Short mmCIF file of all heavy atoms in Angstrom, two decimals:
data_model
loop_
_atom_site.label_atom_id
_atom_site.label_comp_id
_atom_site.label_asym_id
_atom_site.label_seq_id
_atom_site.Cartn_x
_atom_site.Cartn_y
_atom_site.Cartn_z
N LEU A 11 -1.33 -4.17 -6.46
CA LEU A 11 -1.95 -4.12 -5.11
C LEU A 11 -1.70 -5.48 -4.39
O LEU A 11 -1.21 -5.48 -3.26
CB LEU A 11 -3.47 -3.87 -5.22
CG LEU A 11 -4.22 -3.75 -3.91
CD1 LEU A 11 -3.74 -2.57 -3.06
CD2 LEU A 11 -5.74 -3.64 -4.13
N PHE A 12 -2.07 -6.58 -5.03
CA PHE A 12 -1.94 -7.87 -4.36
C PHE A 12 -0.53 -8.44 -4.47
O PHE A 12 -0.11 -9.15 -3.56
CB PHE A 12 -2.99 -8.85 -4.96
CG PHE A 12 -4.43 -8.45 -4.67
CD1 PHE A 12 -5.21 -7.92 -5.68
CD2 PHE A 12 -4.93 -8.58 -3.38
CE1 PHE A 12 -6.50 -7.55 -5.39
CE2 PHE A 12 -6.24 -8.21 -3.09
CZ PHE A 12 -7.03 -7.68 -4.13
N GLY A 13 0.16 -8.12 -5.55
CA GLY A 13 1.54 -8.64 -5.74
C GLY A 13 2.47 -8.06 -4.71
O GLY A 13 3.27 -8.78 -4.08
N VAL A 14 2.49 -6.74 -4.55
CA VAL A 14 3.32 -6.08 -3.55
C VAL A 14 3.02 -6.57 -2.13
O VAL A 14 3.85 -6.85 -1.33
CB VAL A 14 3.22 -4.58 -3.65
CG1 VAL A 14 3.96 -3.89 -2.52
CG2 VAL A 14 3.72 -4.03 -5.01
N PHE A 15 1.69 -6.66 -1.85
CA PHE A 15 1.26 -7.13 -0.53
C PHE A 15 1.79 -8.53 -0.26
O PHE A 15 2.37 -8.84 0.81
CB PHE A 15 -0.28 -7.11 -0.43
CG PHE A 15 -0.80 -7.76 0.79
CD1 PHE A 15 -0.77 -7.11 2.02
CD2 PHE A 15 -1.39 -9.04 0.72
CE1 PHE A 15 -1.27 -7.72 3.18
CE2 PHE A 15 -1.92 -9.64 1.84
CZ PHE A 15 -1.87 -8.99 3.07
N THR A 16 1.61 -9.46 -1.25
CA THR A 16 2.05 -10.85 -1.07
C THR A 16 3.57 -10.97 -0.93
O THR A 16 4.11 -11.66 -0.07
CB THR A 16 1.58 -11.72 -2.22
OG1 THR A 16 0.14 -11.55 -2.35
CG2 THR A 16 1.88 -13.17 -2.04
N LEU A 17 4.29 -10.23 -1.80
CA LEU A 17 5.73 -10.26 -1.77
C LEU A 17 6.28 -9.80 -0.44
O LEU A 17 7.19 -10.45 0.14
CB LEU A 17 6.27 -9.39 -2.92
CG LEU A 17 7.81 -9.32 -3.00
CD1 LEU A 17 8.43 -10.67 -3.33
CD2 LEU A 17 8.25 -8.30 -4.09
N LEU A 18 5.79 -8.66 0.04
CA LEU A 18 6.24 -8.15 1.33
C LEU A 18 5.93 -9.07 2.47
O LEU A 18 6.73 -9.26 3.37
CB LEU A 18 5.65 -6.70 1.57
CG LEU A 18 6.13 -5.63 0.66
CD1 LEU A 18 5.34 -4.36 0.92
CD2 LEU A 18 7.60 -5.34 0.90
N MET A 19 4.74 -9.70 2.40
CA MET A 19 4.38 -10.63 3.50
C MET A 19 5.30 -11.88 3.47
O MET A 19 5.64 -12.39 4.58
CB MET A 19 2.93 -11.01 3.32
CG MET A 19 2.34 -11.71 4.52
SD MET A 19 0.53 -11.84 4.50
CE MET A 19 0.28 -12.76 2.98
N LEU A 20 5.65 -12.36 2.25
CA LEU A 20 6.49 -13.51 2.13
C LEU A 20 7.88 -13.31 2.73
O LEU A 20 8.51 -14.25 3.18
CB LEU A 20 6.54 -14.00 0.72
CG LEU A 20 5.28 -14.63 0.12
CD1 LEU A 20 5.44 -14.89 -1.35
CD2 LEU A 20 4.95 -15.91 0.86
N ILE A 21 8.38 -12.09 2.61
CA ILE A 21 9.73 -11.80 3.16
C ILE A 21 9.73 -11.34 4.60
O ILE A 21 10.76 -10.98 5.12
CB ILE A 21 10.42 -10.74 2.25
CG1 ILE A 21 9.71 -9.39 2.32
CG2 ILE A 21 10.60 -11.22 0.83
CD1 ILE A 21 10.45 -8.28 1.54
N GLY A 22 8.54 -11.45 5.23
CA GLY A 22 8.47 -11.24 6.67
C GLY A 22 8.18 -9.79 7.11
O GLY A 22 8.44 -9.46 8.28
N THR A 23 7.71 -8.93 6.22
CA THR A 23 7.40 -7.58 6.54
C THR A 23 6.13 -7.55 7.47
O THR A 23 5.18 -8.27 7.18
CB THR A 23 7.12 -6.71 5.30
OG1 THR A 23 8.25 -6.91 4.40
CG2 THR A 23 6.96 -5.27 5.68
N PRO A 24 6.10 -6.74 8.51
CA PRO A 24 4.89 -6.64 9.35
C PRO A 24 3.71 -6.30 8.48
O PRO A 24 3.78 -5.49 7.54
CB PRO A 24 5.21 -5.49 10.31
CG PRO A 24 6.72 -5.49 10.42
CD PRO A 24 7.20 -5.93 9.05
N ILE A 25 2.56 -6.91 8.82
CA ILE A 25 1.35 -6.85 8.02
C ILE A 25 0.88 -5.41 7.76
O ILE A 25 0.39 -5.07 6.65
CB ILE A 25 0.23 -7.73 8.64
CG1 ILE A 25 -0.92 -7.93 7.63
CG2 ILE A 25 -0.30 -7.06 9.90
CD1 ILE A 25 -0.58 -8.88 6.56
N ALA A 26 1.01 -4.55 8.76
CA ALA A 26 0.58 -3.11 8.58
C ALA A 26 1.40 -2.43 7.47
O ALA A 26 0.81 -1.70 6.66
CB ALA A 26 0.73 -2.36 9.87
N PHE A 27 2.71 -2.70 7.41
CA PHE A 27 3.54 -2.12 6.36
C PHE A 27 3.27 -2.77 5.03
O PHE A 27 3.28 -2.06 3.98
CB PHE A 27 5.01 -2.26 6.75
CG PHE A 27 5.40 -1.45 7.93
CD1 PHE A 27 5.54 -2.06 9.19
CD2 PHE A 27 5.55 -0.08 7.86
CE1 PHE A 27 5.88 -1.26 10.29
CE2 PHE A 27 5.93 0.68 8.96
CZ PHE A 27 6.08 0.06 10.21
N CYS A 28 2.94 -4.03 5.01
CA CYS A 28 2.50 -4.67 3.76
C CYS A 28 1.30 -3.96 3.15
O CYS A 28 1.26 -3.65 1.93
CB CYS A 28 2.18 -6.15 4.00
SG CYS A 28 3.51 -7.18 4.55
N LEU A 29 0.32 -3.72 3.97
CA LEU A 29 -0.89 -3.07 3.51
C LEU A 29 -0.65 -1.65 3.04
O LEU A 29 -1.12 -1.20 1.98
CB LEU A 29 -1.96 -3.13 4.62
CG LEU A 29 -2.50 -4.49 5.00
CD1 LEU A 29 -3.22 -4.41 6.35
CD2 LEU A 29 -3.44 -5.01 3.96
N GLY A 30 0.12 -0.92 3.89
CA GLY A 30 0.35 0.51 3.57
C GLY A 30 1.20 0.67 2.30
O GLY A 30 0.86 1.51 1.43
N ILE A 31 2.27 -0.08 2.13
CA ILE A 31 3.16 0.06 0.99
C ILE A 31 2.45 -0.40 -0.29
O ILE A 31 2.56 0.27 -1.35
CB ILE A 31 4.49 -0.73 1.21
CG1 ILE A 31 5.26 -0.12 2.35
CG2 ILE A 31 5.31 -0.71 -0.09
CD1 ILE A 31 6.44 -0.94 2.82
N ALA A 32 1.68 -1.48 -0.19
CA ALA A 32 0.93 -1.94 -1.39
C ALA A 32 -0.12 -0.91 -1.79
O ALA A 32 -0.29 -0.65 -2.97
CB ALA A 32 0.19 -3.27 -1.04
N SER A 33 -0.76 -0.30 -0.84
CA SER A 33 -1.76 0.78 -1.16
C SER A 33 -1.06 1.98 -1.81
O SER A 33 -1.53 2.51 -2.79
CB SER A 33 -2.48 1.23 0.13
OG SER A 33 -3.15 0.11 0.78
N PHE A 34 0.09 2.37 -1.23
CA PHE A 34 0.82 3.53 -1.73
C PHE A 34 1.28 3.29 -3.20
O PHE A 34 1.15 4.19 -4.03
CB PHE A 34 1.98 3.87 -0.81
CG PHE A 34 2.56 5.24 -0.99
CD1 PHE A 34 1.90 6.35 -0.44
CD2 PHE A 34 3.76 5.41 -1.72
CE1 PHE A 34 2.41 7.61 -0.63
CE2 PHE A 34 4.24 6.72 -1.89
CZ PHE A 34 3.56 7.82 -1.30
N ALA A 35 1.84 2.13 -3.43
CA ALA A 35 2.33 1.79 -4.77
C ALA A 35 1.18 1.78 -5.76
O ALA A 35 1.34 2.28 -6.92
CB ALA A 35 3.01 0.39 -4.76
N THR A 36 0.02 1.27 -5.39
CA THR A 36 -1.12 1.21 -6.31
C THR A 36 -1.67 2.59 -6.63
O THR A 36 -2.03 2.89 -7.74
CB THR A 36 -2.24 0.30 -5.71
OG1 THR A 36 -1.70 -0.97 -5.34
CG2 THR A 36 -3.34 0.08 -6.74
N VAL A 37 -1.73 3.43 -5.62
CA VAL A 37 -2.20 4.81 -5.78
C VAL A 37 -1.27 5.55 -6.75
O VAL A 37 -1.73 6.29 -7.66
CB VAL A 37 -2.28 5.54 -4.43
CG1 VAL A 37 -2.34 7.04 -4.60
CG2 VAL A 37 -3.48 5.06 -3.67
N LEU A 38 0.04 5.37 -6.64
CA LEU A 38 1.01 6.00 -7.50
C LEU A 38 0.81 5.55 -8.96
O LEU A 38 0.85 6.29 -9.89
CB LEU A 38 2.45 5.73 -7.06
CG LEU A 38 2.91 6.41 -5.76
CD1 LEU A 38 4.29 6.00 -5.42
CD2 LEU A 38 2.79 7.93 -5.90
N TYR A 39 0.57 4.20 -9.11
CA TYR A 39 0.35 3.64 -10.47
C TYR A 39 -0.93 4.21 -11.12
O TYR A 39 -0.91 4.54 -12.29
CB TYR A 39 0.24 2.12 -10.38
CG TYR A 39 -0.13 1.51 -11.71
CD1 TYR A 39 0.75 1.37 -12.74
CD2 TYR A 39 -1.47 1.10 -11.90
CE1 TYR A 39 0.39 0.83 -13.97
CE2 TYR A 39 -1.86 0.51 -13.13
CZ TYR A 39 -0.94 0.40 -14.16
OH TYR A 39 -1.35 -0.10 -15.34
N LEU A 40 -1.96 4.40 -10.30
CA LEU A 40 -3.25 4.87 -10.82
C LEU A 40 -3.21 6.40 -11.06
O LEU A 40 -4.15 6.90 -11.65
CB LEU A 40 -4.37 4.52 -9.83
CG LEU A 40 -4.71 3.07 -9.65
CD1 LEU A 40 -5.69 2.83 -8.53
CD2 LEU A 40 -5.30 2.46 -10.94
N GLY A 41 -2.18 7.04 -10.62
CA GLY A 41 -2.09 8.51 -10.80
C GLY A 41 -2.93 9.32 -9.86
O GLY A 41 -3.17 10.49 -10.05
N LEU A 42 -3.38 8.66 -8.73
CA LEU A 42 -4.15 9.36 -7.74
C LEU A 42 -3.17 10.12 -6.79
O LEU A 42 -2.04 9.71 -6.59
CB LEU A 42 -5.00 8.37 -6.91
CG LEU A 42 -6.00 7.58 -7.68
CD1 LEU A 42 -6.64 6.48 -6.83
CD2 LEU A 42 -7.13 8.49 -8.21
N PRO A 43 -3.66 11.18 -6.12
CA PRO A 43 -2.76 11.91 -5.18
C PRO A 43 -2.43 11.02 -3.98
O PRO A 43 -3.34 10.38 -3.39
CB PRO A 43 -3.61 13.12 -4.72
CG PRO A 43 -5.02 12.76 -5.14
CD PRO A 43 -4.95 11.85 -6.30
N PRO A 44 -1.18 10.91 -3.61
CA PRO A 44 -0.75 9.97 -2.51
C PRO A 44 -1.44 10.31 -1.20
O PRO A 44 -1.58 9.38 -0.32
CB PRO A 44 0.76 10.26 -2.40
CG PRO A 44 1.15 10.72 -3.75
CD PRO A 44 0.02 11.49 -4.26
N ILE A 45 -1.92 11.50 -1.01
CA ILE A 45 -2.58 11.85 0.23
C ILE A 45 -3.83 11.05 0.50
O ILE A 45 -4.31 10.93 1.62
CB ILE A 45 -2.90 13.38 0.30
CG1 ILE A 45 -3.18 13.81 1.77
CG2 ILE A 45 -4.08 13.69 -0.63
CD1 ILE A 45 -3.26 15.29 1.95
N VAL A 46 -4.39 10.46 -0.59
CA VAL A 46 -5.56 9.60 -0.44
C VAL A 46 -5.30 8.47 0.56
O VAL A 46 -6.16 8.11 1.35
CB VAL A 46 -5.99 9.04 -1.81
CG1 VAL A 46 -7.01 7.91 -1.65
CG2 VAL A 46 -6.50 10.14 -2.71
N VAL A 47 -4.10 7.90 0.48
CA VAL A 47 -3.74 6.80 1.40
C VAL A 47 -3.85 7.23 2.83
O VAL A 47 -4.44 6.53 3.68
CB VAL A 47 -2.32 6.26 1.12
CG1 VAL A 47 -1.88 5.23 2.15
CG2 VAL A 47 -2.21 5.71 -0.31
N PHE A 48 -3.34 8.43 3.15
CA PHE A 48 -3.34 8.90 4.54
C PHE A 48 -4.76 9.37 4.94
O PHE A 48 -5.10 9.19 6.16
CB PHE A 48 -2.33 10.05 4.64
CG PHE A 48 -0.93 9.64 4.31
CD1 PHE A 48 -0.40 9.92 3.10
CD2 PHE A 48 -0.15 8.90 5.20
CE1 PHE A 48 0.88 9.53 2.74
CE2 PHE A 48 1.09 8.47 4.90
CZ PHE A 48 1.66 8.82 3.63
N GLN A 49 -5.51 9.85 4.02
CA GLN A 49 -6.91 10.22 4.34
C GLN A 49 -7.69 8.98 4.73
O GLN A 49 -8.46 8.99 5.67
CB GLN A 49 -7.53 10.93 3.15
CG GLN A 49 -7.03 12.34 2.92
CD GLN A 49 -7.63 12.91 1.65
OE1 GLN A 49 -7.99 12.21 0.71
NE2 GLN A 49 -7.66 14.27 1.55
N GLN A 50 -7.51 7.92 3.98
CA GLN A 50 -8.21 6.68 4.28
C GLN A 50 -7.73 6.02 5.57
O GLN A 50 -8.55 5.46 6.30
CB GLN A 50 -8.08 5.70 3.10
CG GLN A 50 -8.73 6.14 1.83
CD GLN A 50 -10.21 6.36 1.97
OE1 GLN A 50 -10.94 5.65 2.70
NE2 GLN A 50 -10.71 7.45 1.35
N MET A 51 -6.44 6.16 5.84
CA MET A 51 -5.89 5.65 7.13
C MET A 51 -6.53 6.43 8.29
O MET A 51 -6.98 5.80 9.27
CB MET A 51 -4.37 5.86 7.19
CG MET A 51 -3.57 4.85 6.36
SD MET A 51 -1.79 5.18 6.48
CE MET A 51 -1.49 4.87 8.22
N ASN A 52 -6.69 7.70 8.15
CA ASN A 52 -7.28 8.52 9.20
C ASN A 52 -8.76 8.11 9.42
O ASN A 52 -9.19 7.99 10.54
CB ASN A 52 -7.17 10.01 8.86
CG ASN A 52 -7.79 10.89 9.94
OD1 ASN A 52 -7.39 10.96 11.06
ND2 ASN A 52 -8.89 11.56 9.54
#
């Protein structure tokens, strides 16, 4: 969660994409359904 967020931010990725990609990667690792990310965004 924090590693992907920090890495993306360090290479200049827009903050919204940093947050979204880090959330998506963590959800996949935890085995949760990816739709959770979009539900929380909504």
